mmCIF file with all atom_site columns, all heavy atoms in Angstrom:
data_model
loop_
_atom_site.group_PDB
_atom_site.id
_atom_site.type_symbol
_atom_site.label_atom_id
_atom_site.label_alt_id
_atom_site.label_comp_id
_atom_site.label_asym_id
_atom_site.label_entity_id
_atom_site.label_seq_id
_atom_site.pdbx_PDB_ins_code
_atom_site.Cartn_x
_atom_site.Cartn_y
_atom_site.Cartn_z
_atom_site.occupancy
_atom_site.B_iso_or_equiv
_atom_site.pdbx_formal_charge
_atom_site.auth_seq_id
_atom_site.auth_comp_id
_atom_site.auth_asym_id
_atom_site.auth_atom_id
_atom_site.pdbx_PDB_model_num
ATOM 1   N N   . ILE A 1 1  ? -10.709 -3.358  5.691   1.00 88.00 ? 7  ILE A N   1
ATOM 2   C CA  . ILE A 1 1  ? -11.939 -4.132  5.874   1.00 88.00 ? 7  ILE A CA  1
ATOM 3   C C   . ILE A 1 1  ? -11.756 -5.230  6.927   1.00 88.00 ? 7  ILE A C   1
ATOM 4   O O   . ILE A 1 1  ? -12.574 -5.394  7.827   1.00 88.00 ? 7  ILE A O   1
ATOM 5   C CB  . ILE A 1 1  ? -12.399 -4.743  4.535   1.00 88.00 ? 7  ILE A CB  1
ATOM 6   C CG1 . ILE A 1 1  ? -12.811 -3.616  3.580   1.00 88.00 ? 7  ILE A CG1 1
ATOM 7   C CG2 . ILE A 1 1  ? -13.560 -5.721  4.750   1.00 88.00 ? 7  ILE A CG2 1
ATOM 8   C CD1 . ILE A 1 1  ? -13.222 -4.093  2.210   1.00 88.00 ? 7  ILE A CD1 1
ATOM 9   N N   . LYS A 1 2  ? -10.646 -5.978  6.832   1.00 88.00 ? 8  LYS A N   1
ATOM 10  C CA  . LYS A 1 2  ? -10.421 -7.071  7.788   1.00 88.00 ? 8  LYS A CA  1
ATOM 11  C C   . LYS A 1 2  ? -10.025 -6.579  9.170   1.00 88.00 ? 8  LYS A C   1
ATOM 12  O O   . LYS A 1 2  ? -10.489 -7.118  10.176  1.00 88.00 ? 8  LYS A O   1
ATOM 13  C CB  . LYS A 1 2  ? -9.336  -8.009  7.251   1.00 88.00 ? 8  LYS A CB  1
ATOM 14  C CG  . LYS A 1 2  ? -9.780  -8.906  6.111   1.00 88.00 ? 8  LYS A CG  1
ATOM 15  C CD  . LYS A 1 2  ? -8.686  -9.905  5.753   1.00 88.00 ? 8  LYS A CD  1
ATOM 16  C CE  . LYS A 1 2  ? -9.159  -10.879 4.691   1.00 88.00 ? 8  LYS A CE  1
ATOM 17  N NZ  . LYS A 1 2  ? -8.112  -11.868 4.331   1.00 88.00 ? 8  LYS A NZ  1
ATOM 18  N N   . ASN A 1 3  ? -9.172  -5.581  9.237   1.00 87.00 ? 9  ASN A N   1
ATOM 19  C CA  . ASN A 1 3  ? -8.609  -5.149  10.522  1.00 87.00 ? 9  ASN A CA  1
ATOM 20  C C   . ASN A 1 3  ? -9.121  -3.801  10.995  1.00 87.00 ? 9  ASN A C   1
ATOM 21  O O   . ASN A 1 3  ? -8.776  -3.365  12.096  1.00 87.00 ? 9  ASN A O   1
ATOM 22  C CB  . ASN A 1 3  ? -7.082  -5.097  10.440  1.00 87.00 ? 9  ASN A CB  1
ATOM 23  C CG  . ASN A 1 3  ? -6.466  -6.454  10.189  1.00 87.00 ? 9  ASN A CG  1
ATOM 24  O OD1 . ASN A 1 3  ? -7.017  -7.472  10.599  1.00 87.00 ? 9  ASN A OD1 1
ATOM 25  N ND2 . ASN A 1 3  ? -5.325  -6.479  9.508   1.00 87.00 ? 9  ASN A ND2 1
ATOM 26  N N   . ASP A 1 4  ? -9.915  -3.143  10.166  1.00 90.00 ? 10 ASP A N   1
ATOM 27  C CA  . ASP A 1 4  ? -10.436 -1.806  10.506  1.00 90.00 ? 10 ASP A CA  1
ATOM 28  C C   . ASP A 1 4  ? -9.300  -0.828  10.818  1.00 90.00 ? 10 ASP A C   1
ATOM 29  O O   . ASP A 1 4  ? -9.352  -0.051  11.769  1.00 90.00 ? 10 ASP A O   1
ATOM 30  C CB  . ASP A 1 4  ? -11.390 -1.892  11.703  1.00 90.00 ? 10 ASP A CB  1
ATOM 31  C CG  . ASP A 1 4  ? -12.198 -0.602  11.868  1.00 90.00 ? 10 ASP A CG  1
ATOM 32  O OD1 . ASP A 1 4  ? -12.417 0.098   10.854  1.00 90.00 ? 10 ASP A OD1 1
ATOM 33  O OD2 . ASP A 1 4  ? -12.581 -0.290  13.012  1.00 90.00 ? 10 ASP A OD2 1
ATOM 34  N N   . VAL A 1 5  ? -8.239  -0.913  10.009  1.00 92.00 ? 11 VAL A N   1
ATOM 35  C CA  . VAL A 1 5  ? -7.065  -0.052  10.187  1.00 92.00 ? 11 VAL A CA  1
ATOM 36  C C   . VAL A 1 5  ? -6.756  0.634   8.856   1.00 92.00 ? 11 VAL A C   1
ATOM 37  O O   . VAL A 1 5  ? -6.129  0.027   7.974   1.00 92.00 ? 11 VAL A O   1
ATOM 38  C CB  . VAL A 1 5  ? -5.831  -0.858  10.649  1.00 92.00 ? 11 VAL A CB  1
ATOM 39  C CG1 . VAL A 1 5  ? -4.631  0.079   10.842  1.00 92.00 ? 11 VAL A CG1 1
ATOM 40  C CG2 . VAL A 1 5  ? -6.129  -1.621  11.921  1.00 92.00 ? 11 VAL A CG2 1
ATOM 41  N N   . PRO A 1 6  ? -7.190  1.883   8.642   1.00 92.00 ? 12 PRO A N   1
ATOM 42  C CA  . PRO A 1 6  ? -6.859  2.594   7.399   1.00 92.00 ? 12 PRO A CA  1
ATOM 43  C C   . PRO A 1 6  ? -5.359  2.930   7.360   1.00 92.00 ? 12 PRO A C   1
ATOM 44  O O   . PRO A 1 6  ? -4.825  3.494   8.323   1.00 92.00 ? 12 PRO A O   1
ATOM 45  C CB  . PRO A 1 6  ? -7.702  3.875   7.464   1.00 92.00 ? 12 PRO A CB  1
ATOM 46  C CG  . PRO A 1 6  ? -8.687  3.653   8.574   1.00 92.00 ? 12 PRO A CG  1
ATOM 47  C CD  . PRO A 1 6  ? -8.040  2.687   9.525   1.00 92.00 ? 12 PRO A CD  1
ATOM 48  N N   . GLU A 1 7  ? -4.690  2.561   6.273   1.00 94.00 ? 13 GLU A N   1
ATOM 49  C CA  . GLU A 1 7  ? -3.264  2.826   6.150   1.00 94.00 ? 13 GLU A CA  1
ATOM 50  C C   . GLU A 1 7  ? -3.017  4.306   5.883   1.00 94.00 ? 13 GLU A C   1
ATOM 51  O O   . GLU A 1 7  ? -3.855  5.005   5.309   1.00 94.00 ? 13 GLU A O   1
ATOM 52  C CB  . GLU A 1 7  ? -2.670  1.987   5.010   1.00 94.00 ? 13 GLU A CB  1
ATOM 53  C CG  . GLU A 1 7  ? -1.156  2.088   4.857   1.00 94.00 ? 13 GLU A CG  1
ATOM 54  C CD  . GLU A 1 7  ? -0.401  1.748   6.135   1.00 94.00 ? 13 GLU A CD  1
ATOM 55  O OE1 . GLU A 1 7  ? -0.088  0.558   6.340   1.00 94.00 ? 13 GLU A OE1 1
ATOM 56  O OE2 . GLU A 1 7  ? -0.140  2.686   6.919   1.00 94.00 ? 13 GLU A OE2 1
ATOM 57  N N   . GLU A 1 8  ? -1.843  4.797   6.341   1.00 94.00 ? 14 GLU A N   1
ATOM 58  C CA  . GLU A 1 8  ? -1.455  6.179   6.033   1.00 94.00 ? 14 GLU A CA  1
ATOM 59  C C   . GLU A 1 8  ? -1.242  6.307   4.534   1.00 94.00 ? 14 GLU A C   1
ATOM 60  O O   . GLU A 1 8  ? -0.711  5.392   3.884   1.00 94.00 ? 14 GLU A O   1
ATOM 61  C CB  . GLU A 1 8  ? -0.190  6.552   6.796   1.00 94.00 ? 14 GLU A CB  1
ATOM 62  C CG  . GLU A 1 8  ? -0.401  6.626   8.299   1.00 94.00 ? 14 GLU A CG  1
ATOM 63  C CD  . GLU A 1 8  ? 0.857   7.025   9.054   1.00 94.00 ? 14 GLU A CD  1
ATOM 64  O OE1 . GLU A 1 8  ? 1.788   7.579   8.416   1.00 94.00 ? 14 GLU A OE1 1
ATOM 65  O OE2 . GLU A 1 8  ? 0.912   6.782   10.270  1.00 94.00 ? 14 GLU A OE2 1
ATOM 66  N N   . THR A 1 9  ? -1.636  7.439   3.982   1.00 96.00 ? 15 THR A N   1
ATOM 67  C CA  . THR A 1 9  ? -1.665  7.604   2.527   1.00 96.00 ? 15 THR A CA  1
ATOM 68  C C   . THR A 1 9  ? -0.305  7.373   1.896   1.00 96.00 ? 15 THR A C   1
ATOM 69  O O   . THR A 1 9  ? -0.184  6.693   0.872   1.00 96.00 ? 15 THR A O   1
ATOM 70  C CB  . THR A 1 9  ? -2.176  9.009   2.156   1.00 96.00 ? 15 THR A CB  1
ATOM 71  O OG1 . THR A 1 9  ? -3.459  9.205   2.738   1.00 96.00 ? 15 THR A OG1 1
ATOM 72  C CG2 . THR A 1 9  ? -2.274  9.165   0.647   1.00 96.00 ? 15 THR A CG2 1
ATOM 73  N N   . TRP A 1 10 ? 0.766   7.911   2.495   1.00 96.00 ? 16 TRP A N   1
ATOM 74  C CA  . TRP A 1 10 ? 2.088   7.812   1.867   1.00 96.00 ? 16 TRP A CA  1
ATOM 75  C C   . TRP A 1 10 ? 2.537   6.367   1.713   1.00 96.00 ? 16 TRP A C   1
ATOM 76  O O   . TRP A 1 10 ? 3.090   5.977   0.680   1.00 96.00 ? 16 TRP A O   1
ATOM 77  C CB  . TRP A 1 10 ? 3.124   8.616   2.654   1.00 96.00 ? 16 TRP A CB  1
ATOM 78  C CG  . TRP A 1 10 ? 3.541   8.001   3.959   1.00 96.00 ? 16 TRP A CG  1
ATOM 79  C CD1 . TRP A 1 10 ? 2.968   8.175   5.183   1.00 96.00 ? 16 TRP A CD1 1
ATOM 80  C CD2 . TRP A 1 10 ? 4.620   7.070   4.151   1.00 96.00 ? 16 TRP A CD2 1
ATOM 81  N NE1 . TRP A 1 10 ? 3.607   7.418   6.137   1.00 96.00 ? 16 TRP A NE1 1
ATOM 82  C CE2 . TRP A 1 10 ? 4.632   6.737   5.538   1.00 96.00 ? 16 TRP A CE2 1
ATOM 83  C CE3 . TRP A 1 10 ? 5.580   6.505   3.320   1.00 96.00 ? 16 TRP A CE3 1
ATOM 84  C CZ2 . TRP A 1 10 ? 5.561   5.854   6.093   1.00 96.00 ? 16 TRP A CZ2 1
ATOM 85  C CZ3 . TRP A 1 10 ? 6.505   5.609   3.862   1.00 96.00 ? 16 TRP A CZ3 1
ATOM 86  C CH2 . TRP A 1 10 ? 6.495   5.300   5.225   1.00 96.00 ? 16 TRP A CH2 1
ATOM 87  N N   . LEU A 1 11 ? 2.262   5.521   2.732   1.00 97.00 ? 17 LEU A N   1
ATOM 88  C CA  . LEU A 1 11 ? 2.674   4.121   2.654   1.00 97.00 ? 17 LEU A CA  1
ATOM 89  C C   . LEU A 1 11 ? 1.752   3.341   1.723   1.00 97.00 ? 17 LEU A C   1
ATOM 90  O O   . LEU A 1 11 ? 2.205   2.464   0.980   1.00 97.00 ? 17 LEU A O   1
ATOM 91  C CB  . LEU A 1 11 ? 2.695   3.487   4.042   1.00 97.00 ? 17 LEU A CB  1
ATOM 92  C CG  . LEU A 1 11 ? 3.178   2.036   4.109   1.00 97.00 ? 17 LEU A CG  1
ATOM 93  C CD1 . LEU A 1 11 ? 4.543   1.880   3.441   1.00 97.00 ? 17 LEU A CD1 1
ATOM 94  C CD2 . LEU A 1 11 ? 3.233   1.544   5.553   1.00 97.00 ? 17 LEU A CD2 1
ATOM 95  N N   . SER A 1 12 ? 0.468   3.668   1.733   1.00 96.00 ? 18 SER A N   1
ATOM 96  C CA  . SER A 1 12 ? -0.468  3.037   0.814   1.00 96.00 ? 18 SER A CA  1
ATOM 97  C C   . SER A 1 12 ? -0.047  3.283   -0.632  1.00 96.00 ? 18 SER A C   1
ATOM 98  O O   . SER A 1 12 ? -0.034  2.361   -1.464  1.00 96.00 ? 18 SER A O   1
ATOM 99  C CB  . SER A 1 12 ? -1.885  3.580   1.051   1.00 96.00 ? 18 SER A CB  1
ATOM 100 O OG  . SER A 1 12 ? -2.779  3.083   0.084   1.00 96.00 ? 18 SER A OG  1
ATOM 101 N N   . GLU A 1 13 ? 0.327   4.518   -0.937  1.00 97.00 ? 19 GLU A N   1
ATOM 102 C CA  . GLU A 1 13 ? 0.758   4.845   -2.296  1.00 97.00 ? 19 GLU A CA  1
ATOM 103 C C   . GLU A 1 13 ? 2.111   4.199   -2.620  1.00 97.00 ? 19 GLU A C   1
ATOM 104 O O   . GLU A 1 13 ? 2.356   3.777   -3.753  1.00 97.00 ? 19 GLU A O   1
ATOM 105 C CB  . GLU A 1 13 ? 0.847   6.352   -2.469  1.00 97.00 ? 19 GLU A CB  1
ATOM 106 C CG  . GLU A 1 13 ? -0.486  7.087   -2.362  1.00 97.00 ? 19 GLU A CG  1
ATOM 107 C CD  . GLU A 1 13 ? -1.447  6.736   -3.487  1.00 97.00 ? 19 GLU A CD  1
ATOM 108 O OE1 . GLU A 1 13 ? -0.989  6.191   -4.516  1.00 97.00 ? 19 GLU A OE1 1
ATOM 109 O OE2 . GLU A 1 13 ? -2.655  6.990   -3.330  1.00 97.00 ? 19 GLU A OE2 1
ATOM 110 N N   . ALA A 1 14 ? 2.987   4.112   -1.637  1.00 97.00 ? 20 ALA A N   1
ATOM 111 C CA  . ALA A 1 14 ? 4.296   3.492   -1.851  1.00 97.00 ? 20 ALA A CA  1
ATOM 112 C C   . ALA A 1 14 ? 4.138   2.015   -2.229  1.00 97.00 ? 20 ALA A C   1
ATOM 113 O O   . ALA A 1 14 ? 4.793   1.522   -3.162  1.00 97.00 ? 20 ALA A O   1
ATOM 114 C CB  . ALA A 1 14 ? 5.158   3.633   -0.602  1.00 97.00 ? 20 ALA A CB  1
ATOM 115 N N   . ILE A 1 15 ? 3.276   1.308   -1.516  1.00 97.00 ? 21 ILE A N   1
ATOM 116 C CA  . ILE A 1 15 ? 3.055   -0.111  -1.808  1.00 97.00 ? 21 ILE A CA  1
ATOM 117 C C   . ILE A 1 15 ? 2.483   -0.284  -3.214  1.00 97.00 ? 21 ILE A C   1
ATOM 118 O O   . ILE A 1 15 ? 2.895   -1.171  -3.976  1.00 97.00 ? 21 ILE A O   1
ATOM 119 C CB  . ILE A 1 15 ? 2.113   -0.732  -0.755  1.00 97.00 ? 21 ILE A CB  1
ATOM 120 C CG1 . ILE A 1 15 ? 2.802   -0.737  0.617   1.00 97.00 ? 21 ILE A CG1 1
ATOM 121 C CG2 . ILE A 1 15 ? 1.691   -2.145  -1.155  1.00 97.00 ? 21 ILE A CG2 1
ATOM 122 C CD1 . ILE A 1 15 ? 1.891   -1.111  1.772   1.00 97.00 ? 21 ILE A CD1 1
ATOM 123 N N   . ALA A 1 16 ? 1.535   0.576   -3.576  1.00 96.00 ? 22 ALA A N   1
ATOM 124 C CA  . ALA A 1 16 ? 0.945   0.507   -4.917  1.00 96.00 ? 22 ALA A CA  1
ATOM 125 C C   . ALA A 1 16 ? 1.972   0.826   -5.993  1.00 96.00 ? 22 ALA A C   1
ATOM 126 O O   . ALA A 1 16 ? 1.936   0.260   -7.092  1.00 96.00 ? 22 ALA A O   1
ATOM 127 C CB  . ALA A 1 16 ? -0.241  1.466   -5.013  1.00 96.00 ? 22 ALA A CB  1
ATOM 128 N N   . GLU A 1 17 ? 2.904   1.712   -5.688  1.00 96.00 ? 23 GLU A N   1
ATOM 129 C CA  . GLU A 1 17 ? 3.964   2.040   -6.642  1.00 96.00 ? 23 GLU A CA  1
ATOM 130 C C   . GLU A 1 17 ? 4.867   0.835   -6.885  1.00 96.00 ? 23 GLU A C   1
ATOM 131 O O   . GLU A 1 17 ? 5.267   0.562   -8.027  1.00 96.00 ? 23 GLU A O   1
ATOM 132 C CB  . GLU A 1 17 ? 4.802   3.214   -6.121  1.00 96.00 ? 23 GLU A CB  1
ATOM 133 C CG  . GLU A 1 17 ? 4.131   4.571   -6.226  1.00 96.00 ? 23 GLU A CG  1
ATOM 134 C CD  . GLU A 1 17 ? 3.988   5.032   -7.661  1.00 96.00 ? 23 GLU A CD  1
ATOM 135 O OE1 . GLU A 1 17 ? 5.022   5.276   -8.317  1.00 96.00 ? 23 GLU A OE1 1
ATOM 136 O OE2 . GLU A 1 17 ? 2.848   5.116   -8.139  1.00 96.00 ? 23 GLU A OE2 1
ATOM 137 N N   . TYR A 1 18 ? 5.181   0.097   -5.833  1.00 96.00 ? 24 TYR A N   1
ATOM 138 C CA  . TYR A 1 18 ? 6.080   -1.042  -6.011  1.00 96.00 ? 24 TYR A CA  1
ATOM 139 C C   . TYR A 1 18 ? 5.417   -2.177  -6.779  1.00 96.00 ? 24 TYR A C   1
ATOM 140 O O   . TYR A 1 18 ? 6.096   -2.959  -7.465  1.00 96.00 ? 24 TYR A O   1
ATOM 141 C CB  . TYR A 1 18 ? 6.593   -1.563  -4.664  1.00 96.00 ? 24 TYR A CB  1
ATOM 142 C CG  . TYR A 1 18 ? 7.686   -2.583  -4.871  1.00 96.00 ? 24 TYR A CG  1
ATOM 143 C CD1 . TYR A 1 18 ? 8.968   -2.178  -5.214  1.00 96.00 ? 24 TYR A CD1 1
ATOM 144 C CD2 . TYR A 1 18 ? 7.410   -3.949  -4.801  1.00 96.00 ? 24 TYR A CD2 1
ATOM 145 C CE1 . TYR A 1 18 ? 9.968   -3.107  -5.467  1.00 96.00 ? 24 TYR A CE1 1
ATOM 146 C CE2 . TYR A 1 18 ? 8.403   -4.890  -5.052  1.00 96.00 ? 24 TYR A CE2 1
ATOM 147 C CZ  . TYR A 1 18 ? 9.676   -4.456  -5.384  1.00 96.00 ? 24 TYR A CZ  1
ATOM 148 O OH  . TYR A 1 18 ? 10.659  -5.370  -5.665  1.00 96.00 ? 24 TYR A OH  1
ATOM 149 N N   . ALA A 1 19 ? 4.095   -2.270  -6.692  1.00 96.00 ? 25 ALA A N   1
ATOM 150 C CA  . ALA A 1 19 ? 3.389   -3.349  -7.393  1.00 96.00 ? 25 ALA A CA  1
ATOM 151 C C   . ALA A 1 19 ? 3.665   -3.315  -8.893  1.00 96.00 ? 25 ALA A C   1
ATOM 152 O O   . ALA A 1 19 ? 3.731   -4.368  -9.546  1.00 96.00 ? 25 ALA A O   1
ATOM 153 C CB  . ALA A 1 19 ? 1.888   -3.225  -7.139  1.00 96.00 ? 25 ALA A CB  1
ATOM 154 N N   . VAL A 1 20 ? 3.835   -2.139  -9.462  1.00 95.00 ? 26 VAL A N   1
ATOM 155 C CA  . VAL A 1 20 ? 4.109   -2.002  -10.895 1.00 95.00 ? 26 VAL A CA  1
ATOM 156 C C   . VAL A 1 20 ? 5.418   -2.698  -11.256 1.00 95.00 ? 26 VAL A C   1
ATOM 157 O O   . VAL A 1 20 ? 5.503   -3.420  -12.258 1.00 95.00 ? 26 VAL A O   1
ATOM 158 C CB  . VAL A 1 20 ? 4.163   -0.512  -11.297 1.00 95.00 ? 26 VAL A CB  1
ATOM 159 C CG1 . VAL A 1 20 ? 4.481   -0.365  -12.779 1.00 95.00 ? 26 VAL A CG1 1
ATOM 160 C CG2 . VAL A 1 20 ? 2.838   0.186   -10.971 1.00 95.00 ? 26 VAL A CG2 1
ATOM 161 N N   . THR A 1 21 ? 6.433   -2.509  -10.425 1.00 94.00 ? 27 THR A N   1
ATOM 162 C CA  . THR A 1 21 ? 7.721   -3.178  -10.644 1.00 94.00 ? 27 THR A CA  1
ATOM 163 C C   . THR A 1 21 ? 7.597   -4.680  -10.396 1.00 94.00 ? 27 THR A C   1
ATOM 164 O O   . THR A 1 21 ? 8.142   -5.495  -11.155 1.00 94.00 ? 27 THR A O   1
ATOM 165 C CB  . THR A 1 21 ? 8.796   -2.579  -9.721  1.00 94.00 ? 27 THR A CB  1
ATOM 166 O OG1 . THR A 1 21 ? 9.022   -1.209  -10.093 1.00 94.00 ? 27 THR A OG1 1
ATOM 167 C CG2 . THR A 1 21 ? 10.107  -3.338  -9.826  1.00 94.00 ? 27 THR A CG2 1
ATOM 168 N N   . LEU A 1 22 ? 6.881   -5.059  -9.352  1.00 94.00 ? 28 LEU A N   1
ATOM 169 C CA  . LEU A 1 22 ? 6.711   -6.476  -9.012  1.00 94.00 ? 28 LEU A CA  1
ATOM 170 C C   . LEU A 1 22 ? 6.092   -7.249  -10.167 1.00 94.00 ? 28 LEU A C   1
ATOM 171 O O   . LEU A 1 22 ? 6.454   -8.404  -10.423 1.00 94.00 ? 28 LEU A O   1
ATOM 172 C CB  . LEU A 1 22 ? 5.837   -6.603  -7.760  1.00 94.00 ? 28 LEU A CB  1
ATOM 173 C CG  . LEU A 1 22 ? 5.561   -8.018  -7.253  1.00 94.00 ? 28 LEU A CG  1
ATOM 174 C CD1 . LEU A 1 22 ? 6.848   -8.688  -6.798  1.00 94.00 ? 28 LEU A CD1 1
ATOM 175 C CD2 . LEU A 1 22 ? 4.548   -7.979  -6.117  1.00 94.00 ? 28 LEU A CD2 1
ATOM 176 N N   . LEU A 1 23 ? 5.179   -6.622  -10.909 1.00 94.00 ? 29 LEU A N   1
ATOM 177 C CA  . LEU A 1 23 ? 4.504   -7.282  -12.021 1.00 94.00 ? 29 LEU A CA  1
ATOM 178 C C   . LEU A 1 23 ? 5.297   -7.227  -13.319 1.00 94.00 ? 29 LEU A C   1
ATOM 179 O O   . LEU A 1 23 ? 4.844   -7.726  -14.354 1.00 94.00 ? 29 LEU A O   1
ATOM 180 C CB  . LEU A 1 23 ? 3.123   -6.653  -12.229 1.00 94.00 ? 29 LEU A CB  1
ATOM 181 C CG  . LEU A 1 23 ? 2.131   -6.897  -11.077 1.00 94.00 ? 29 LEU A CG  1
ATOM 182 C CD1 . LEU A 1 23 ? 0.858   -6.111  -11.286 1.00 94.00 ? 29 LEU A CD1 1
ATOM 183 C CD2 . LEU A 1 23 ? 1.835   -8.383  -10.939 1.00 94.00 ? 29 LEU A CD2 1
ATOM 184 N N   . GLY A 1 24 ? 6.493   -6.605  -13.278 1.00 91.00 ? 30 GLY A N   1
ATOM 185 C CA  . GLY A 1 24 ? 7.377   -6.634  -14.436 1.00 91.00 ? 30 GLY A CA  1
ATOM 186 C C   . GLY A 1 24 ? 7.090   -5.608  -15.502 1.00 91.00 ? 30 GLY A C   1
ATOM 187 O O   . GLY A 1 24 ? 7.507   -5.762  -16.661 1.00 91.00 ? 30 GLY A O   1
#
């Protein structure tokens, strides 16, 4: 929305996967 740059799916999913660990 801010940068008009859609992330590649694999990296988008990777970041979301790490969030689970980050939140404990």
Side-chain angles (χ1 to χ4, degrees):
I7 294 177
K8 286 186 175 180
N9 297 330
D10 194 27
V11 181
E13 185 55 89
E14 293 181 18
T15 303
W16 73 271
L17 183 53
S18 174
E19 295 294 343
I21 294 170
E23 285 291 294
Y24 189 77
V26 179
T27 295
L28 180 64
L29 293 173

